[in-house]
Amino acid sequence: MARYNAKDSEKRWQQAWDGASTFLTPTDATRPKCYVLEMFPYPSGRIHIGHVRNYTMGDVIARFKRAQGFNVLHPMGWDAFGLPAENAAREKGVNPRDWTYANIAAMRDQLKLMGLSIDWSREFATCDPAYYRHQQKLFLDFYKEGLVYRSEADVNWDPVDQTVLANEQVIDGKGWRSGAPVERRKLSQWFFKITAFSDDLLTALDTLDRWPEKVRLMQKNWIGRSEGMRFSFALSNGRDLEVFSTRPDTLFGASFVALSPDHPLTEELAAKDPKMAAFVAECRRVGTAEEAIEKAEKLGYDTGLTAAHPFDANWKLPVVVANFVLMGYGTGAIFGCPAHDQRDLEFARKYKLAVLPVVIPEGADPKTFEVGDEAYVGPGRLANSRFLDGMSVEDAKDEVAKRLEAAGRGTRTVNYRLRDWLVSRQRPWGCPIPMIHCAKCGVVPAKASDLPIKLPDDIAFNVKGNPLAAHPTWKHTSCPRCGGEAVRDTDTLDTFVDSSWYFARFCDTTAADPVDRAAVDYWLPVDQYIGGIEHAILHLLYARFFVRAMKQAGYVKLDEPFAGLFTQGMVCHETYKDKSGAWLAPDEVEKRDGKVFLKGSGEPATIGPSEKMSKSKKNVVAPETIIDIFGADTIRWFMLSDTPPERDIEWTDEGADSCWKFVQRIWRLVSEAEGLPPPGAAIAAVDGAALELRRATHRAIAAVTEDLASLRFNRAVAQIYAFANAISGADVPGAVRREALETLVLLIGPMMPHLAESCWEALGHRQFVANTSWPVSDAALTASDTVTIAVQVNGKLRGTIEVAKDADKAVVETAAFALDTVARALDGKAPRKVIVVPNRIVNIVA
RNA sequence: GGCCCCGUGGCGGAAUUGGUAGACGCAACGGACUUAAAAUCCGUAGUUCCGAAAGGAACGUGCCCGUUCGAGUCGGGCCGGGGCCA
């Protein structure tokens, strides 16, 4: 029999599935539904191996669920707006749309080579006006619902290129193209009011029991709920200053009051004090990243004002501007208690302010307890705090809150770290924001009937500033309210918006509204979502927000978009360098005796650690090359083998070879089988080797089914290897062999679909494996009537016994004591105790 | 610094959730087939020690301690690696 020709076979089956519309989404009302979705790709131009791993897993689940009788929705699309297209446009002079669609076409071809069970009729790109028109409608609806507002916010401004930069375009505080120092500028921008759902986004995490614990924890930390108080200090200039604190209990340890450099009061004071203005400017140079602010030296500027302690009008605290106080958190002003907050402590030490401990840990003496370089943030009893002395931290918080509330100086509040989502981007390749600026009427929403507001086809990229704003005609329009001259908002939406609801659009890509109500009611939530951990926070949080906003706007009735989430690991590869330290690609080196050499020249090279495949380190393997050599089934099998799916997997040539060998082995096993009865032949009662093979068959069904259902692909693969070994080793012909081979083929079906079809055909079937039901194991065959029981003496294994399943305790004990090894281990001593765990183990304690 | 996750053969990893540690795969070694190689097939294999061999013994899941008849699995404390938040 000829070797399996993956190339011919895969092409043939892909065409056959296509021709029969096999993977169009079925809507058989008698079946349950299953929505399987992988995070859709950015059309960079080529599929990388991380995509292959992601889509292989999704495809296995989709095919498995199909075979189990579900209506499966398994779509694919393109997250198609974004910076790379703009860069290509600027550098190569191409139209970003043309560039993007050419990439999509190339990547679609590559994906199709993988033989994925995708319903391609539902494909769309987020840069299609047919998609983003609905996104514009959602924006208008959210606006109506009060979930969209306009506010001033800082942006990174490149003074040379006269353009707003994305955070990732700021490198070491400088514009990535111009190299000019980036400035912070205030612009009026659009926000989504995600904080309206802070509490719900947090508490609903508990309902997501099919999400990784890690992701839920990350989201929880990101939302960052903390309970505290807002209260005010009376300032020496006659005004009140409101601060936020999570530690009102430490109020008697206060040494200073600090304002954010961005606080309105700071700005007011700086207007009259050039030195303060200079200090504020210095603070802003650090950038907006919290981490940078945290690591920077704590600096302050004395305003000359004082603040009266809320519980002692004669106690005056200095008011300073401090670089570590964030405007976005709380009120942008704090009171500093150095003994119990690390940042306050560093600040106090620098400026020689008092450090008075007011919370004393259990067992320490309030008279002698001191704080050194580390603030004390643990529990304890209050001291040096007048009426709070002796209280626990919790009681003291309560007491302070009660008194401040009674005095009308403060309120208890819950504060969240989560901020509203700034969605305006001053970028030309994105979804236009459907708002219009009229000199008379102000900011006016576009009419729904005018959607989509399409991007112009002729965007000039080599201009200063935002190309959309610079376009000669695009922004000019008439006011939807008064009909007078007006201009469009020239900002576009953050591309995270595009990916926040695409899963809902897939339910019906032809709907006249953003979503079809019946379709989303049926298909959502996504039953299994798969993607990288890098989206653990933003993308998933934004999608969760969108579902809530869409629910409020009346589009959906569900609470959460993704019932099941799986985050897969990365694909890694060894790294190589030549003697000058330059990176070498895997195909530039050859291995001999565990050492690597430059291919051709024989010059030695060094092997570095295995790292995530990346262009910069050149440790990449092109999926299309692997598919060309071995076929898609081999690369799919590799992606599922050995390593648990959530962990990083290492690509090795040896591993790929062994997968290829297994493809051939299965083909041989099936195609060389002789004397099989025709399909559907009945199996007579059997015993001996034939019965053993039947048992192996049904145990394999049970094990693989369970492993696939719980996404333990590596275990399913191991089970299949073991089963293939059992078939090879069994000299059993006839109907029992047919049953075993057919089972093997059906079990590999979701993982190696092309090979499975070829084998199925070779076994005489006319129907696709893709249309064949998943096998069901026979419980009578998975259970065996004898069991092997381990026998221990004093916890150490001394032998095993073979007894009938559920055998009598006495029978088991007798068999255990009959073992020579047991007698030897006992060495004449009488057993004190015998523990018998049915069907498992006997432990004799002597 | 806080919180979380992970440490098992030469390697990737299994282990019925407290019950025979090392399944399955890679690499390795021995053999068969072959003029030879590739491919394929059969076999060996945690470590150390005893034995000519059959076989046997001790040790063994990062380290220490504990709970238990029994611990890779549970608890406490270290060490190392990674992640998130600071």
Side-chain angles (χ1 to χ4, degrees), chain A residues 231-243 251 254-259 265 302-320 333-336 409:
Chain A
F231 58 93
S232 42
F233 282 86
L235 299 184
S236 51
N237 65 358
R239 308 246 291 259
D240 272 355
L241 175 69
E242 189 174 48
V243 301
L251 194 46
S255 296
F256 60 95
V257 169
L259 299 169
L265 182 57
D302 193 344
T303 63
L305 296 172
T306 60
H309 194 282
F311 292 129
D312 184 347
N314 296 320
W315 182 355
K316 306 291 189 193
L317 297 161
V319 178
V320 300
I334 62 159
F335 78 84
R409 293 205 68 86

Side-chain angles (χ1 to χ4, degrees), chain A residues 79 81-82 86 126 131-140 142 148 189-192 421-435 455 466 468 489-499 501 546:
Chain A
D79 190 12
F81 276 132
E86 292 182 25
T126 56
Y131 178 75
Y132 71 67
R133 70 178 302 161
H134 300 295
Q135 188 160 301
Q136 291 171 333
K137 179 66 165 50
L138 289 173
F139 185 97
L140 296 176
F142 292 178
V148 174
Q189 308 193 65
W190 293 104
F191 288 81
F192 280 166
W421 176 14
L422 197 173
V423 293
S424 296
R425 294 291 181 275
Q426 293 70 39
R427 310 248 52 108
W429 185 236
C431 170
I433 294 178
M435 298 301 253
L455 288 169
N466 180 356
L468 277 186
D489 199 305
T490 55
D491 287 352
T492 54
L493 291 171
D494 180 2
T495 54
F496 271 117
V497 177
D498 309 334
S499 54
W501 69 285
F546 245 76

Side-chain angles (χ1 to χ4, degrees), chain A residues 525-669:
Chain A
V526 174
D527 295 277
Q528 188 63 58
Y529 196 36
I530 310 174
I533 187 76
E534 66 274 18
H535 292 114
I537 298 176
L538 293 182
H539 163 58
L540 293 168
L541 193 62
Y542 292 153
R544 296 179 64 220
F545 159 72
F546 245 76
V547 160
R548 285 163 172 78
M550 288 172 79
K551 184 182 187 183
Q552 188 176 320
Y555 284 109
V556 296
K557 62 181 179 192
L558 78 161
D559 298 309
E560 286 289 344
F562 312 119
L565 173 71
F566 190 86
T567 53
Q568 99 260 7
M570 298 180 300
V571 182
C572 299
H573 195 285
E574 278 181 339
T575 48
Y576 310 104
K577 282 183 181 178
D578 68 12
K579 61 181 179 186
S580 74
W583 299 105
L584 293 170
D587 58 5
E588 291 175 315
V589 301
E590 55 187 349
K591 282 194 179 181
R592 271 176 271 140
D593 310 324
K595 292 182 179 160
V596 286
F597 301 89
L598 217 63
K599 211 177 251 179
S601 82
E603 193 179 289
T606 54
I607 306 181
S610 180
E611 296 186 53
K612 181 188 179 180
M613 284 193 193
S614 75
K615 267 189 216 157
S616 62
K617 290 180 180 145
K618 294 179 84 173
N619 59 338
V620 290
V621 172
E624 65 269 28
T625 310
I626 306 298
I627 291 176
D628 195 50
I629 299 170
F630 298 112
D633 287 336
T634 296
I635 196 170
R636 290 170 64 119
W637 188 249
F638 186 106
M639 287 298 152
L640 300 164
S641 299
D642 294 345
T643 304
E646 68 279 6
R647 265 191 238 178
D648 291 352
I649 192 171
E650 179 166 0
W651 180 270
T652 63
D653 291 343
E654 295 82 6
D657 281 342
S658 85
C659 291
W660 169 240
K661 284 179 192 170
F662 189 61
V663 167
Q664 292 298 344
R665 193 174 151 212
I666 291 196
W667 176 245
R668 270 197 315 277
L669 209 50

